[in-house]
Amino acid sequence: MPTHIIDRRLNPGGKSLENRQRFLRRAKSLVQGAVKKTSQERDIKDVLEGGEVTIPLDGMHEPRFRREGGTRDMVLPGNKKFIEGDYLQRSGQGSAKDSGPGEGDSEDAFRFVLSRDEFVDLFLDDLELPDLAKRKIAQTESEGIQRAGYTTSGSPANISVSRTVQLALARRIALRRPRKSEIEELEAEIAACTDEDVRIELLEKLAKLKAKSKRIPFIDPLDIRYRRYEKVPRPVAQAVMFCLMDVSGSMSEHMKDLAKRFYMLLYVFLKRRYKHVEIVFIRHTDRAEEVDEQTFFYGPASGGTLVSSALQAMHEIVRERFNPSDWNIYAAQASDGDNSYSDGELTGMLLTDKILPVCQFFAYLEVGESGGSAFDLSDSSLWSLYDRLRNSGAPLSMRKVSERSEIFPVFHDLFQRRETTQEKAAP
Amino acid sequence: MTERLFEGADWDFHTLQRITDACEEVALKDLGLDVYPNQIEVITAEQMLDAYSSVGMPLFYKHWSFGKHFAFHEASYRKGLMGLAYEIVINSSPCISYLMEENTATMQTLVIAHAAFGHNHFFKNNYLFKQWTDADGILDYLDFAKNYVATCEERYGRVEVERTLDAAHALMSHGIDRYPGKKKLDLRAEEKRAGRRRQHEEEVFNDLWRTVPKGTAKSRSALSIERRRKLLGLPQENLLYFLEKSAPRLAPWQRELLRIVRHIAQYFYPQSQTKVMNEGTATYVHYRIMTQLHQQGRITDGNFLEFLGSHTNVVFQPEFDDPRFSGFNPYALGFAVMQDIERIVTRPEDEDCEWFPDIAGKNDVMGVLRDVWANYRDESFIAQFLSPKLMRHFRMFHLHDDPEERAGIRVDAIHDERGFRRVRRELARQHDVGYIDANIEVVDVDLSGDRRLILHHHVIKGSQLNETDAKRVLQHLADLWTYDVALIEVDANDKVLREYVVSPRPIPAAVA
């Protein structure tokens, strides 16, 4: 009996991928909740790593009719001392209760590992940059592939069987290739034939047909067609995000930590969602500077506070590099809300006249000390200023944060997908 | 001296071929096994995980619950909580065995002997498999099922299909014919029939028929209860079958889905009834083949020791107070009984002659075993062949736990003269699938009235249904039936213990 031994290792794995996606889709709300919970407990850098989440088993439970309770009989191995008629205590050591059937019930949660991509996707799923409306087809990128008819050359993987067979059939008909049944018919006729002359004639005809079917192949290289694919350029919307961070002396380590976490999250989010997003990092004390990512997140700095300096810097950068008619412009600012008194008016002016008109969306994050009760007592000077602006209809969102664990919900809040955009920036 | 099959732990495809040939020689010539043609496939760990999550089958329709199982297995595998099985084997012809690439040459030999010859012989010869499964047709049928489900998803939407499949899965363990009598499953014909049925329905559909006036309806209430039940084939314990045939508002494709799930459940039914025997057979066969190969000098002492290590792990039976204990290990129990049969057949003691007069001292080990493998299932196998010697060996005892009993759990019988038969009977009963699964059947439906479907659960030993689960399953059932469903739990004296009534959830949009 021949045994076939087959190497399947090169077969594509991930057969379960589709089922897994179905499962995630179905468990989406549960998994999303779990992801958010997990990400609060984790360092933001680790968020990118994906990892294990636990969802309540109940939500994904597949019910069956199960019996439980009643009197139970069981046969067990390993009797060392019991004799017939003994009684065992129900609880405690030596009881068979905990080893009986129905152990599966104790499982209360379902754990599994999400890949990095799945994790971040689920985390960012319902977020988006608000008002990505001014779509400018400024940059194009050839990344799409679409079907574009058939071609006579290509890779074997792309052979179009149906088209090939169709052509082969057409050619065979056109060239009158004898069909198998015709030959068989003729052969039968010959076998049944008694008249010698007719027989010779028939034999000749048969030879001709056979020769013809040899000359005209069933499938000719001519017939083969490949599916053709074409790359199509796809327009991409471009956007720039300004990250403005206060690093002045009044910002404690805790506050800076909150701000940095917020930006890191923002960074992950942007990188993930939009291919063409420029990110500009500006940090300021009483004077602002544009810095690279590394300095922004890790460089030390200290000094007084002039919020207007950062806004001024942003304004200049916009003027130089990001024409508002070509770019969707966003800004996120983090500060403890402390600004020097004299700067308030200038800040307000810069915002109303220069910044907000060109911005699709401006997010303001006010960071406070841990505990943060005093934080709520009176609004900071910046907060009142921004509040005033918002009430007058500027595309501005603002939130206060004082604990690490609040970062995620606040971030979510700020970038929640909106049904309709409320206030539009002036063009 | 014979040539060695391999040296060390490495193997390549030539080695596998040599191993298979050597195993085959022993299996067919010395053991007289009768197997389906073999197909051996080498796969990676990841592919093994894939195979796990679709109940071991190479092709299966798509459903989220398989994804759930995959995620679960993967998580525990990565954490090291679970080792992967060395092998998966499929009851089909040819019989397909999956081998993991990580296995050493010795392990591959063990797995080939175990799966490709042990399981294979059992699948081909055991009466339950012969009766209920169609090894030639299963792969084609699964392929059909996969395509059918995919087509339905395209036509009627994934959500709709998922809803039906979820419901069918919940009822899967009650979609089985437990008693033969109907004809053997022929999945290939089944698949063709499904196509024809659908075509026929499409061809003969004519909306005008709805408008034809009906004669005065016969008073349905005049039908006696007995007659009504008979017409519906009641009582019916195969809930999926009943729904497929009698649920008033299911679309034809939904009936077909129920049918698919039912056929697959039926296909696996023999496996659930023969776990001890099936694993015991495979283990006994691999043990014999490996020993033989070692004696022939075809595997080295070192390799044989490696084999013995794995083998011992497989047949390890923790005692009841061991933290590793989780019931009887089917490998251990099955293997032990089969080895014991070998002993009884060749070197019986007085006790054995008294207990097993038919086989004691018969000397034809393989003849007896082949007969056992062909004609028993776990329950009857244990009831028939568990010897006093083995009960002493495992130190078995029987506990009776009555919640009413204040003193605790009573030791009802132990491995002594008085207890042997009782312990054996009780252990056999625990392996009776018909006894383990809840006994639920459709008893009546009031077609002229409110169309409420009435089910009974016959409670045994006071063990009722888990309430949460029962309600959910009934919800699925009601959704398919589209009218109220009542489940009544009754004890042996027909006393009603509990009653559930569930109404169907509204269907968002009826799809014809």
Side-chain angles (χ1 to χ4, degrees):
Chain A
M1 207 176 323
T3 298
H4 294 281
I5 300 181
I6 303 170
D7 187 356
R8 292 270 188 227
R9 287 171 297 177
L10 293 177
N11 274 26
K15 258 190 179 173
S16 294
L17 196 64
E18 155 127 31
N19 285 330
R20 183 182 167 88
Q21 283 164 348
R22 282 170 188 240
F23 160 64
L24 283 179
R25 208 153 37 212
R26 188 176 170 110
K28 190 166 165 186
S29 55
L30 290 171
V31 178
Q32 218 155 29
V35 161
K36 277 174 200 157
K37 198 162 151 260
T38 314
S39 41
Q40 274 172 32
E41 293 155 5
R42 260 200 247 175
D43 217 325
I44 294 186
K45 263 180 278 175
D46 296 342
V47 168
L48 275 177
E49 296 306 314
E52 184 176 275
V53 295
T54 309
I55 61 173
L57 190 66
D58 201 41
M60 297 300 289
H61 182 60
E62 293 170 84
R64 296 278 152 92
F65 283 129
R66 285 189 291 128
R67 289 166 45 187
E68 62 182 15
T71 59
R72 297 192 307 162
D73 286 282
M74 52 211 139
V75 173
L76 302 173
N79 176 17
K80 284 160 214 89
K81 54 181 186 200
F82 307 123
I83 56 162
E84 190 181 330
D86 275 357
Y87 280 95
L88 280 73
Q89 286 309 307
R90 280 220 170 72
S91 57
Q93 220 41 38
S95 145
K97 189 98 184 175
D98 48 359
S99 50
E103 289 190 313
D105 301 349
S106 61
E107 217 180 349
D108 57 350
F110 181 64
R111 304 162 166 278
F112 60 98
V113 180
L114 286 177
S115 75
R116 227 182 101 146
D117 286 0
E118 285 168 341
F119 195 94
V120 180
D121 267 351
L122 281 163
F123 179 69
L124 300 174
D125 186 64
D126 48 354
L127 303 180
E128 69 175 4
L129 283 176
D131 225 356
L132 194 62
K134 264 192 267 172
R135 281 173 202 279
K136 271 286 163 189
I137 307 173
Q139 233 172 322
T140 54
E141 195 186 10
S142 55
E143 54 167 13
I145 285 181
Q146 70 182 30
R147 285 287 304 276
Y150 298 93
T151 156
T152 50
S153 64
S155 89
N158 288 337
I159 287 183
S160 163
V161 175
S162 57
R163 178 56 66 110
T164 302
V165 171
Q166 210 176 334
L167 284 168
L169 187 64
R171 182 182 47 78
R172 292 198 307 265
I173 292 170
L175 295 177
R176 291 165 202 274
R177 182 187 203 263
R179 264 181 282 170
K180 203 176 162 199
S181 61
E182 275 174 55
I183 294 180
E184 277 168 0
E185 237 167 69
L186 201 57
E187 275 171 343
E189 220 175 297
I190 292 168
C193 182
T194 47
D195 188 338
E196 196 52 34
D197 285 349
V198 179
R199 193 177 142 83
I200 289 170
E201 203 176 304
L202 285 176
L203 276 174
E204 217 169 309
K205 207 168 154 193
L206 179 69
K208 222 184 240 170
L209 283 185
K210 280 196 167 164
K212 197 161 192 183
S213 70
K214 242 180 219 163
R215 270 203 312 279
I216 308 168
F218 192 79
I219 287 194
D220 191 278
L222 274 175
D223 305 326
I224 296 178
R225 289 295 177 276
Y226 300 86
R227 291 185 295 269
R228 203 171 89 83
Y229 295 93
E230 205 174 54
K231 286 184 175 171
V232 285
R234 293 240 164 101
V236 185
Q238 55 181 1
V240 56
M241 169 65 79
F242 285 89
C243 299
L244 312 174
M245 180 163 64
D246 185 351
V247 289
S248 64
S250 60
M251 290 278 283
S252 69
E253 273 312 308
H254 174 73
M255 292 167 165
K256 281 185 196 165
D257 181 59
L258 290 179
K260 284 172 186 173
R261 276 163 189 273
F262 181 76
Y263 286 123
M264 251 190 236
L265 208 51
L266 189 60
Y267 179 78
V268 170
F269 169 51
L270 292 174
K271 280 285 177 208
R272 190 87 194 166
R273 227 359 102 70
Y274 299 96
K275 270 223 167 117
H276 286 269
V277 172
E278 293 267 332
I279 301 177
V280 177
F281 296 104
I282 296 173
R283 61 174 193 176
H284 74 92
T285 50
D286 48 355
R287 140 187 107 70
E289 54 178 344
E290 186 187 352
V291 294
D292 61 13
E293 194 183 322
Q294 187 66 27
T295 324
F296 185 79
F297 283 117
Y298 304 108
S302 190
T305 318
L306 280 179
V307 173
S308 61
S309 65
L311 297 174
Q312 186 62 39
M314 173 176 165
H315 173 60
E316 271 155 29
I317 294 169
V318 167
R319 213 176 46 198
E320 279 166 31
R321 311 207 306 251
F322 302 102
N323 184 347
S325 59
D326 292 339
W327 289 83
N328 295 288
I329 297 171
Y330 300 90
Q333 182 186 13
S335 164
D336 58 352
D338 207 12
N339 196 11
S340 77
Y341 185 70
S342 56
D343 193 42
E345 203 174 329
L346 182 59
T347 308
M349 230 168 62
L350 274 168
L351 273 171
T352 356
D353 297 345
K354 313 272 188 201
I355 306 287
L356 290 176
V358 301
C359 268
Q360 306 292 107
F361 187 69
F362 193 103
Y364 173 62
L365 183 78
E366 191 158 299
V367 290
E369 276 304 347
S370 179
S373 50
F375 192 55
D376 296 321
L377 287 179
S378 64
D379 286 339
S380 68
S381 53
L382 269 186
W383 184 269
S384 348
L385 171 70
Y386 283 59
D387 208 24
R388 221 166 45 236
L389 288 172
R390 187 180 56 175
N391 288 337
S392 65
L396 190 75
S397 272
M398 39 205 289
R399 290 289 183 286
K400 290 183 185 181
V401 177
S402 58
E403 296 294 340
R404 267 184 196 181
S405 58
E406 288 169 17
I407 293 273
F408 287 89
V410 163
F411 183 82
H412 247 264
D413 237 21
L414 283 176
F415 293 97
Q416 192 73 251
R417 179 167 295 148
R418 288 160 174 79
E419 286 302 312
T420 49
T421 45
Q422 318 94 332
E423 303 96 354
K424 256 209 157 10
Chain B
M1 172 156 156
T2 355
E3 201 194 338
R4 297 233 195 277
L5 291 171
F6 50 84
E7 295 287 341
D10 295 338
W11 54 268
D12 58 20
F13 283 84
H14 293 294
T15 325
L16 287 188
Q17 188 69 57
R18 270 207 306 280
I19 291 173
T20 315
D21 293 345
C23 289
E24 183 171 297
E25 202 184 302
V26 181
L28 304 192
K29 283 202 189 128
D30 299 351
L31 306 184
L33 301 187
D34 165 33
V35 294
Y36 292 123
N38 271 307
Q39 179 165 322
I40 290 169
E41 309 197 354
V42 180
I43 60 175
T44 61
E46 193 214 344
Q47 287 167 326
M48 189 60 110
L49 272 171
D50 279 344
Y52 255 51
S53 33
S54 51
V55 279
M57 300 310 276
L59 17 90
F60 224 78
Y61 55 82
K62 305 281 180 217
H63 190 260
W64 63 269
S65 72
F66 306 136
K68 171 182 142 184
H69 289 122
F70 179 78
F72 182 69
H73 287 312
E74 195 194 25
S76 39
Y77 175 59
R78 283 201 187 164
K79 264 194 291 188
L81 289 180
M82 176 186 87
L84 287 177
Y86 298 122
E87 110 298 329
I88 284 184
V89 52
I90 292 166
N91 168 25
S92 63
S93 176
C95 175
I96 302 174
S97 315
Y98 294 118
L99 270 52
M100 278 223 289
E101 63 171 349
E102 283 90 341
N103 294 346
T104 63
T106 310
M107 283 310 296
Q108 302 293 31
T109 319
L110 163 63
V111 167
I112 290 171
H114 182 92
F117 295 98
H119 283 307
N120 189 345
H121 172 87
F122 194 78
F123 288 148
K124 190 172 174 190
N125 294 281
N126 183 264
Y127 79 105
L128 281 173
F129 287 85
K130 282 186 166 176
Q131 205 158 57
W132 289 119
T133 65
D134 173 17
D136 289 313
I138 183 66
L139 293 179
D140 286 342
Y141 186 70
L142 288 177
D143 191 39
F144 153 76
K146 185 180 170 187
N147 291 330
Y148 191 84
V149 171
T151 316
C152 285
E153 287 182 343
E154 265 170 42
R155 284 197 190 176
Y156 312 108
R158 215 182 45 225
V159 180
E160 283 300 315
V161 173
E162 196 168 277
R163 203 195 308 274
T164 311
L165 281 180
D166 282 355
H169 285 181
L171 295 166
M172 199 165 181
S173 50
H174 295 269
I176 297 162
D177 291 323
R178 287 177 205 280
Y179 306 101
K182 297 187 184 158
K183 57 184 180 324
K184 184 179 167 230
L185 207 55
D186 180 351
L187 294 172
R188 225 168 268 198
E190 189 58 49
E191 173 191 338
K192 287 203 191 96
R193 204 176 318 142
R196 278 206 307 275
R197 200 172 333 151
R198 215 168 46 242
Q199 201 183 352
H200 177 76
E201 271 157 11
E202 276 166 20
E203 278 166 7
V204 301
F205 176 75
N206 187 341
D207 210 29
L208 280 179
W209 280 113
R210 280 194 305 110
T211 63
V212 175
K214 291 192 181 79
T216 45
K218 276 185 208 138
S219 126
R220 282 265 176 88
S221 53
L223 282 176
S224 73
I225 294 176
E226 283 312 312
R227 173 131 178 77
R228 187 172 75 208
R229 286 196 191 179
K230 199 157 186 190
L231 281 177
L232 285 163
L234 296 177
Q236 173 61 264
E237 60 168 0
N238 189 335
L239 304 186
L240 282 179
Y241 180 80
F242 178 79
L243 288 170
E244 177 195 327
K245 297 296 175 204
S246 314
R249 292 223 290 242
L250 289 182
W253 62 269
Q254 287 178 304
R255 294 181 203 274
E256 192 63 45
L257 290 186
L258 297 189
R259 197 180 179 77
I260 286 172
V261 173
R262 182 164 70 80
H263 280 321
I264 290 172
Q266 192 76 59
Y267 172 82
F268 284 111
Y269 183 53
Q271 312 221 359
S272 60
Q273 292 186 77
T274 54
K275 252 187 122 41
V276 171
M277 285 196 74
N278 204 345
E279 294 305 352
T281 306
T283 308
Y284 181 83
V285 166
H286 82 223
Y287 188 75
R288 286 285 299 263
I289 292 180
M290 294 301 282
T291 314
Q292 186 84 328
L293 291 179
H294 179 235
Q295 279 165 1
Q296 289 170 355
R298 304 184 79 168
I299 52 178
T300 64
D301 292 350
N303 292 132
F304 191 64
L305 276 177
E306 183 195 345
F307 154 71
L308 282 179
S310 312
H311 174 77
T312 316
N313 284 339
V314 167
V315 297
F316 174 66
Q317 176 63 60
E319 299 190 332
F320 79 102
D321 48 0
D322 188 309
R324 290 166 293 182
F325 179 77
S326 63
F328 266 99
N329 170 0
Y331 292 83
L333 188 60
F335 179 66
V337 176
M338 284 166 199
Q339 270 211 319
D340 201 45
I341 291 176
E342 181 183 322
R343 183 190 60 81
I344 295 167
V345 172
T346 51
R347 339 175 271 285
E349 290 158 21
D350 291 348
E351 184 187 55
D352 301 314
C353 295
E354 185 192 319
W355 278 65
F356 305 101
D358 292 346
I359 60 168
K362 220 178 156 196
N363 258 321
D364 175 15
V365 176
M366 287 317 297
V368 170
L369 277 177
R370 280 197 303 267
D371 177 62
V372 171
W373 295 340
N375 297 312
Y376 292 82
R377 59 186 181 127
D378 285 352
E379 184 243 339
S380 55
F381 172 66
I382 292 169
Q384 188 73 32
F385 295 106
L386 185 65
S387 71
K389 191 182 169 78
L390 265 192
M391 285 183 261
R392 284 194 298 270
H393 168 75
F394 281 115
R395 310 185 74 85
M396 290 181 186
F397 62 122
H398 170 206
L399 292 179
H400 178 76
D401 182 5
D402 183 350
E404 303 287 300
E405 178 65 74
R406 289 272 179 85
I409 305 167
R410 193 172 75 240
V411 178
D412 236 21
I414 66 162
H415 48 85
D416 60 9
E417 282 304 327
R418 283 165 48 82
F420 285 140
R421 291 195 190 272
R422 279 187 289 157
V423 168
R424 183 163 82 168
R425 191 169 55 233
E426 193 51 46
L427 187 63
R429 206 146 73 126
Q430 284 173 26
H431 286 84
D432 183 356
V433 176
Y435 186 77
I436 298 167
D437 286 344
N439 179 3
I440 293 174
E441 53 185 21
V442 182
V443 291
D444 201 6
V445 44
D446 185 3
L447 278 182
S448 54
D450 56 6
R451 299 198 175 181
R452 174 181 286 192
L453 189 66
I454 298 163
L455 287 84
H456 276 181
H457 171 217
H458 301 281
V459 174
I460 306 169
K461 294 203 294 188
S463 172
Q464 289 177 242
L465 294 177
N466 171 290
E467 192 176 334
T468 335
D469 260 23
K471 280 185 185 156
R472 289 189 191 168
V473 178
L474 286 172
Q475 184 65 63
H476 279 306
L477 182 57
D479 291 347
L480 291 178
W481 179 247
T482 60
Y483 296 96
D484 284 5
V485 171
L487 173 71
I488 301 161
E489 298 198 85
V490 292
D491 67 7
N493 307 319
D494 276 342
K495 191 181 135 207
V496 175
L497 301 172
R498 190 154 44 176
E499 189 170 348
Y500 299 92
V501 179
V502 178
S503 304
R505 287 175 289 202
I507 311 167
V511 192

